[in-house]
Amino acid sequence: MTGRFITLEGVDGAGKSTHTAWLVDSLRQHGLEVVSTREPGGTPLGERLRELVLNEPMGLDTETLIMFAARSEHLRQVIAPALARGAWVVCDRYTDATYAYQGGGRELGAARVAELEHWLRPPLRPDLTWLFDVPLAVARARMAGERQLDRFEQEAEAFFERTRAAYHARAAAEPGRIHVIDASQPLDTVRRALQDDLQRFLARNAA
Ligand code: TYD
């Protein structure tokens, strides 16, 4: 049996990172082999590309191509081999983030991102995606006082509204895969919602 591919998404400050570790632990408690990884990054080269793309000023096409260059390495070296040997992969951000941030936030448009998504080999897509959704004010409050902000976190409000709207469009187009989590609720409430959703997913996928 091949493994399952789960991604976590959302605008900066949605709290997704807090839930990633919990998800990985929960899956391991079910006896599954889990590979926990992130984008951009996930390989030594990918982490170097992450440094560049988060901090270095560059054009939008370059930015988008770097996201996909890192993704290509990640897919080939880490994600595809893990799934093939039956491991589950939990990835903090994936291609939906490019649709949201470059496609929406930076207004590249979904069609250009789709060209690169189709170009990627192997053409793996997540089996389940949790989209942590919060209004802008909540996201901003959670980011306040954080370590130095990267190029994306420093963007203006309109950028985040466009990014969030692009995430919503993705979720509306693929409701079976992308589950929207109301992350403005208290942590315990969010956690319970995740627990229920994970149980349903496991019942269908880890027989
Ligand atoms: P993030 O998960 O927020 O990292 P951290 O929690 O360490 O701050 O991801 C880093 C940033 O990269 C985030 O602002 C969104 C951006 N990003 C894109 O713009 N496009 C992409 O395709 C990906 C994967 C991330």
Side-chain angles (χ1 to χ4, degrees), residues 52-134:
L52 285 173
V53 80
L54 294 192
N55 300 303
E56 204 72 35
M58 63 182 71
L60 175 54
D61 285 351
T62 310
E63 178 178 297
T64 308
L65 289 165
I66 289 179
M67 294 296 180
F68 271 96
R71 185 162 299 137
S72 171
E73 281 300 296
H74 195 202
L75 199 46
R76 194 174 62 82
Q77 286 191 35
V78 178
I79 300 175
L83 294 173
R85 70 170 185 267
W88 285 43
V89 175
V90 172
C91 192
D92 188 338
R93 299 194 186 281
Y94 190 65
T95 304
D96 293 308
T98 316
Y99 279 100
Y101 281 79
Q102 282 68 47
R106 297 232 196 273
E107 301 182 275
L108 180 68
R112 295 269 279 166
V113 181
E115 284 177 32
L116 292 174
E117 184 183 24
H118 294 141
W119 194 79
L120 212 56
R121 295 285 178 272
L124 284 174
R125 308 185 76 184
D127 298 295
L128 170 67
T129 297
W130 279 340
L131 172 54
F132 293 88
D133 185 51
V134 285

Side-chain angles (χ1 to χ4, degrees), residues 145-158:
E146 259 199 40
R147 35 127 194 96
Q148 173 124 29
L149 301 181
D150 65 39
R151 285 205 306 125
F152 298 101
E153 292 162 336
Q154 287 168 18
E155 282 292 338
E157 296 194 354

Side-chain angles (χ1 to χ4, degrees), residues 141-192:
R142 287 185 186 161
M143 275 199 298
E146 259 199 40
R147 35 127 194 96
Q148 173 124 29
L149 301 181
D150 65 39
R151 285 205 306 125
F152 298 101
E153 292 162 336
Q154 287 168 18
E155 282 292 338
E157 296 194 354
F159 173 89
F160 281 98
E161 294 294 8
R162 288 193 300 271
T163 302
R164 187 179 180 212
Y167 267 133
H168 284 165
R170 301 285 297 155
E174 282 187 71
R177 170 175 69 90
I178 304 179
H179 299 181
V180 181
I181 311 293
D182 176 0
S184 61
Q185 305 174 96
L187 187 68
D188 284 358
T189 314
V190 176
R191 185 61 45 87
R192 271 196 300 278

